[in-house]
Amino acid sequence: VYNVCTSSGGTFKFIWNKELFAECGLEPEKAPQTWDEVIEYAKIITEKGNGIKYGFAIPFKTEGFARYYVMMPGSTSDLYNNDGYEPRTAKYDFTIYKPMLEVLTTMVKDGSVFPSPLNLDNDTARAQFAEGNIGMMFAAFWDAGVFNNQFPCKMDWGIADFPTFEGEFTGSVPVAVASGGKYMSANSKHPDEQLEVYNYFHSEEFSKTIQDAGVYISSYKSLAKPELMDSSIKGYVELNIPEEGKPLHYLDSVQTPAITLEGDNFEKVMAAIVAGHTGIDEGLKDLNTRYNAAIDEWIKKGNDINDYIIPDYNPNTYIPE
């Protein structure tokens, strides 16, 4: 049996509609630097949008997007832990995300978000952004292909790192790196030939050939070699390569205890908070209580929590082995 491992990775960013900014009297070539500016700009865009165009989009109908819209954006302000888990203390602390939840709930209360968070899925949000009806939202590295091929943008748009709370970058850029395996059957009649074909399709030669032809691909190899990228794909380089000198935070780089949680997970609770169904303090306190109770139960079953402690952990410097 042949096993060939592949990896892919990329970053998560802030995007904005430059033309809509200009229409609303905002500086089109400059992304908001602080979250207060995001709130302000979203309100201005919505007020001038006549019920058609909105300042921001929060697609929480898509399961798990609390991580994408609440946890990751705080990373540039050094407000990020491992999905609530603190490796230095081996405890969960979701209160670190209160500032980001306040940003989102403020925009929801202002009516500045595309209606409505719990009913809006990511495809609809991206399609509306591409049509020019959303001023700002978040994007992942794969959205370069989406905004060029699936939902081609009809306007000029920009890409930047997430804003910060103080206007200064003090944290890290969140990066996701995923691995997988490719297998061939042991019963294959031509295994050597198949492997040779596979190696060709994953070679630098083939990658450069199809990019010269204008075909979009994303691979870890191209992340490591920016000169191989097809810069004609709008946003491809910006969404994949962090700005020089800014530290990276590798998501899922820390092991967490395999707890059994009672009740709703953090994604559902944070979505309820943003929608106004649960208070911020109330919801975060509930998460801390239930997640840490689950750790206590896990320990009582004979598991060793010391295996999950990193005393000097810092998300801005920690690199997984």
Side-chain angles (χ1 to χ4, degrees):
V1 177
Y2 289 89
N3 171 247
V4 183
C5 290
T6 59
S7 296
S8 63
T11 55
F12 301 82
K13 300 279 187 170
F14 180 94
I15 61 176
W16 77 99
N17 180 333
K18 293 184 178 182
E19 294 181 13
L20 192 51
F21 266 45
E23 291 174 13
C24 295
L26 303 172
E27 172 54 55
E29 297 300 325
K30 184 179 180 182
Q33 302 298 297
T34 67
W35 291 111
D36 283 342
E37 288 179 340
V38 171
I39 293 171
E40 177 188 356
Y41 293 2
K43 193 170 185 178
I44 291 173
I45 292 170
T46 303
E47 289 174 349
K48 295 179 179 294
N50 298 317
I52 298 174
K53 300 183 179 184
Y54 293 83
F56 202 78
I58 307 175
F60 271 8
K61 184 177 181 179
T62 305
E63 182 70 23
F65 263 45
R67 187 175 193 240
Y68 186 8
Y69 269 70
V70 178
M71 293 181 161
M72 294 182 194
S75 63
T76 50
S77 296
D78 198 17
L79 297 178
Y80 186 89
N81 55 26
N82 201 66
D83 284 355
Y85 182 73
E86 294 285 355
R88 288 163 291 205
T89 61
K91 293 289 185 180
Y92 278 89
D93 181 14
F94 290 96
T95 61
I96 192 174
Y97 299 113
K98 180 177 179 178
M100 275 309 308
L101 287 167
E102 289 177 333
V103 170
L104 299 182
T105 54
T106 297
M107 288 191 289
V108 171
K109 290 176 183 176
D110 287 345
S112 301
V113 303
F114 197 93
S116 62
L118 294 185
N119 295 321
L120 182 64
D121 62 46
N122 194 37
D123 261 1
T124 303
R126 293 184 296 184
Q128 289 294 329
F129 180 83
E131 287 293 320
N133 295 329
I134 293 174
M136 301 169 286
M137 61 181 292
F138 302 151
F141 53 99
W142 57 76
D143 285 323
V146 171
F147 289 130
N148 284 277
N149 301 315
Q150 184 180 0
F151 304 124
C153 285
K154 298 181 178 179
M155 73 298 174
D156 192 14
W157 56 291
I159 302 165
D161 283 328
F162 292 124
T164 63
F165 285 95
E166 301 298 331
E168 295 182 7
F169 187 98
T170 58
S172 54
V173 176
V175 175
V177 178
S179 297
K182 301 295 182 182
Y183 301 86
M184 285 189 287
S185 171
N187 298 321
S188 172
K189 294 181 179 179
H190 305 283
D192 293 335
E193 290 83 354
Q194 282 184 253
L195 185 59
E196 184 177 351
V197 171
Y198 180 89
N199 286 336
Y200 169 71
F201 282 122
H202 289 77
S203 68
E204 186 172 306
E205 175 189 358
F206 179 74
S207 175
K208 188 172 178 59
T209 298
I210 66 171
Q211 290 188 40
D212 286 344
V215 179
Y216 168 79
I217 66 167
S218 177
S219 69
Y220 193 67
K221 179 182 290 185
S222 64
L223 281 175
K225 297 178 179 293
E227 67 273 13
L228 295 180
M229 293 186 188
D230 182 356
S231 59
S232 69
I233 302 295
K234 169 65 177 176
Y236 182 52
V237 175
E238 294 96 327
L239 279 169
N240 275 279
I241 301 297
E243 292 184 27
E244 184 177 356
K246 292 188 176 179
L248 309 181
H249 179 81
Y250 291 85
L251 306 176
D252 293 328
S253 61
V254 177
Q255 291 280 331
T256 56
I259 61 175
T260 300
L261 182 69
E262 296 290 336
D264 289 339
N265 59 23
F266 69 81
E267 289 99 338
K268 291 184 179 179
V269 173
M270 288 184 175
I273 290 174
V274 171
H277 298 165
T278 303
I280 296 177
D281 292 331
E282 173 191 353
L284 295 180
K285 181 180 178 180
D286 168 64
L287 286 174
N288 281 356
T289 299
R290 290 189 293 107
Y291 271 79
N292 286 315
I295 283 186
D296 292 340
E297 288 299 317
W298 179 84
I299 294 173
K300 287 179 182 178
K301 293 178 181 178
N303 297 295
D304 188 358
I305 194 62
N306 290 311
D307 294 337
Y308 298 86
I309 295 177
I310 305 175
D312 58 350
Y313 176 76
N314 182 338
N316 298 337
T317 60
Y318 181 74
I319 302 296
E321 296 181 358

